[in-house]
Amino acid sequence: MKMFDVYPRYPINIVKSKGVYLWDDKDQKYLDLYGGHGVISIGHAHPAYLSAIQKQIKKIGFYSNSIEIPLQQEFADLLSDLSSYDSYRLFLCNSGSEANENALKLASFHSGKKKVIAFKNSFHGRTSASVNVTNQPNISAPINKEQFPVDFIELNNEIQLFDKLNTDDICAVIIEGIQGVGGLDMASETYLKLLSNLCIEKGIVLIIDEIQSGFGRSGKFFAHQHTGIKADIITMAKGMGNGFPVAGLLINPAIKVKHGMLGTTFGGNHLACAAGISVVKTLRKEKLIENAEKIGKLLVNELKKIPSIKQIKGKGLMLGVEFEFAAKPILERLLIEHHIFTGSSANPNLLRILPPLSITYEEIKVFPEALKSVLKSMKQE
Ligand SMILES: Cc1ncc(COP(=O)(O)O)c(C=O)c1O
């Protein structure tokens, strides 16, 4: 049986990992500055993570939400501490798309309305509601189109925001903490404050998608916390399980929930909670959020010295390095010649940098050097 051919793949078979490094089946070592789309938060094969998962699977790996699962409360207690959203409710699920699907559904249940405001270049997932608020028409099937009205507006365009929010049929605004797939653009502090105030004034549910930018990646637990505003619903995934499929929503208690509104078979299972708990404990114990901020700044300082870089976007260890020309040949040379994984985005001129938050300066500093060497050899050709 052949695999359904969904992704273009590099001919690399990774068989081993540790911290920020990967090894292929020929024992070639790679530096991982991409973490498989920003998933690896505390580092590959972290001993605390391995031990938590091993201990849990020996006891019980899975049972559904029809029984008490005290690990869920332990996870919620740890999250309330780290997220500063202690009065919110936690709903656990399995993937980023599922988190956004449930967030949009809740907003619509809550308001009784259908229209959603989303942003140009957004990416919120591939399932029915999440793909409908994603501004990438090529990933929508005919059955996804026009399920509910969505207006895509420009980030940081205040006039358009006033104009589009000036109706009473909107149930939610959904915005990424920092745009990931779209290319690392983000709302300015003043824009986000204005958006938050307008949502409060008009009773619109503000959903912030922190699936890629959350869990410490930006140098704060959530990227929107660089501004001091609060969302009504925050969606989380990727770094939450360090590779184990764990996702969730933090929900304002003003949004009333009834049994049956949301549900999941796998979400919040014992093993997923054990993985998530060890991630949160490790983020705190090893001060990885502070590390993301510090290493991100050091890297940006180094990158700023490279003249052919047009712009550096993002925050902490969620960075976009933009050139005046296509980034794909750079990405390929970094991988093939320097054995460094980086990522692409919808912006063809941008490299996406999403390393494990545990990366040290010693480990990351080879990247600007490798980049200089790639750019130099491309100029000579
Ligand atoms: C901001 C954001 N939201 C949602 C998703 C969808 O997550 P998943 O692929 O886990 O469904 C992604 C995935 O890249 C994302 O970056």
Side-chain angles (χ1 to χ4, degrees):
M1 186 185 282
K2 283 189 179 158
M3 292 301 296
F4 188 61
D5 187 14
V6 204
Y7 298 107
R9 295 177 196 258
Y10 294 108
I12 297 172
N13 175 15
I14 299 297
V15 293
K16 197 172 80 179
S17 64
K18 181 86 196 135
V20 298
Y21 296 109
L22 304 165
W23 286 263
D24 70 12
D25 52 0
K26 295 169 196 76
D27 215 26
Q28 175 62 57
K29 186 179 177 184
Y30 297 82
L31 174 65
D32 185 10
L33 299 188
Y34 191 52
H37 307 313
V39 165
I40 303 302
S41 48
I42 61 172
H44 291 279
H46 191 290
Y49 178 76
L50 296 183
S51 145
I53 290 178
Q54 280 161 356
K55 278 191 190 145
Q56 189 57 48
I57 192 115
K58 281 187 188 156
K59 292 192 255 174
I60 175 161
F62 171 81
Y63 207 81
S64 68
N65 285 293
S66 54
I67 54 153
E68 296 286 338
I69 305 180
L71 283 168
Q72 294 180 348
Q73 191 55 51
E74 188 183 340
F75 196 8
D77 291 343
L78 285 162
L79 271 176
S80 82
D81 229 30
L82 212 57
S83 70
S84 310
Y85 274 103
D86 45 312
S87 65
Y88 279 43
R89 305 280 179 270
L90 171 66
F91 177 77
L92 290 166
C93 54
N94 310 282
S95 73
S97 300
E98 193 189 349
N100 285 332
E101 202 74 21
N102 283 306
L104 291 161
K105 217 171 148 178
L106 262 187
S108 180
F109 268 131
H110 175 70
S111 62
K113 297 174 187 174
K114 277 172 104 164
K115 187 169 174 184
V116 177
I117 304 293
F119 287 83
K120 295 246 157 79
N121 257 339
S122 61
F123 186 90
H124 298 291
R126 293 169 187 273
T127 56
S128 67
S130 69
V131 83
N132 206 32
V133 294
T134 289
N135 191 214
Q136 297 198 17
N138 58 325
I139 65 166
S140 271
I143 56 162
N144 298 129
K145 297 204 168 112
E146 290 157 28
Q147 309 167 62
F148 54 88
V150 182
D151 271 343
F152 290 100
I153 62 173
E154 281 166 23
L155 261 181
N156 298 322
N157 183 331
E158 296 186 3
I159 295 168
Q160 211 180 48
L161 183 67
F162 276 117
D163 183 40
K164 290 292 178 185
L165 292 196
N166 197 21
T167 60
D168 56 11
D169 55 349
I170 300 167
C171 78
V173 174
I174 183 163
I175 183 168
E176 283 158 89
I178 301 173
Q179 288 192 336
V181 176
L184 281 294
D185 289 305
M186 63 191 290
S188 70
E189 182 165 351
T190 36
Y191 184 84
L192 210 51
K193 284 184 173 158
L194 176 67
L195 172 62
S196 159
N197 287 337
L198 286 173
C199 286
I200 293 168
E201 193 185 301
K202 294 176 183 296
I204 297 168
V205 176
L206 176 58
I207 303 169
I208 305 198
D209 176 340
E210 294 277 3
I211 283 160
Q212 192 166 142
S213 54
F215 260 76
R217 180 154 294 285
S218 75
K220 297 267 186 216
F221 190 69
F222 291 128
H224 69 270
Q225 292 175 328
H226 287 277
T227 66
I229 66 134
K230 282 203 146 198
D232 296 306
I233 304 179
I234 304 100
T235 54
M236 318 172 280
K238 297 198 188 276
M240 194 171 181
N242 197 47
F244 198 94
V246 188
L249 280 70
L250 298 182
I251 303 155
N252 187 329
I255 298 174
K256 299 286 175 244
V257 187
K258 278 195 291 202
H259 283 170
M261 258 183 177
L262 307 182
T264 162
T265 298
F266 292 116
N269 69 69
H270 299 74
L271 209 48
C273 286
I277 288 169
S278 82
V279 168
V280 178
K281 284 186 174 167
T282 306
L283 282 179
R284 212 166 52 180
K285 187 167 170 211
E286 298 182 4
K287 298 195 173 12
L288 296 185
I289 304 178
E290 294 85 339
N291 190 61
E293 187 180 23
K294 184 180 101 188
I295 302 296
K297 280 187 178 148
L298 292 172
L299 178 61
V300 168
N301 285 343
E302 284 311 303
L303 292 172
K304 276 184 177 161
K305 295 177 193 158
I306 304 178
S308 34
I309 294 177
K310 179 185 163 197
Q311 203 185 158
I312 302 158
K313 296 178 174 181
K315 272 191 186 297
L317 289 175
M318 179 162 180
L319 295 172
V321 184
E322 193 178 19
F323 305 90
E324 298 278 9
F325 40 87
K328 194 167 179 225
I330 307 174
L331 184 149
E332 287 178 349
R333 280 178 178 228
L334 283 168
L335 183 59
I336 308 300
E337 293 165 16
H338 296 267
H339 308 115
I340 299 176
F341 273 93
T342 56
S344 59
S345 77
N347 175 349
N349 293 356
L350 187 127
L351 277 185
R352 212 160 18 134
I353 310 297
L354 303 165
L357 309 184
S358 54
I359 198 161
T360 64
Y361 186 61
E362 279 304 298
E363 290 165 336
I364 211 165
K365 75 175 190 201
V366 301
F367 168 61
E369 290 312 312
L371 186 58
K372 276 188 248 175
S373 145
V374 166
L375 291 166
K376 193 172 159 198
S377 59
M378 281 171 63
K379 234 183 205 170
Q380 284 162 356
E381 279 163 13

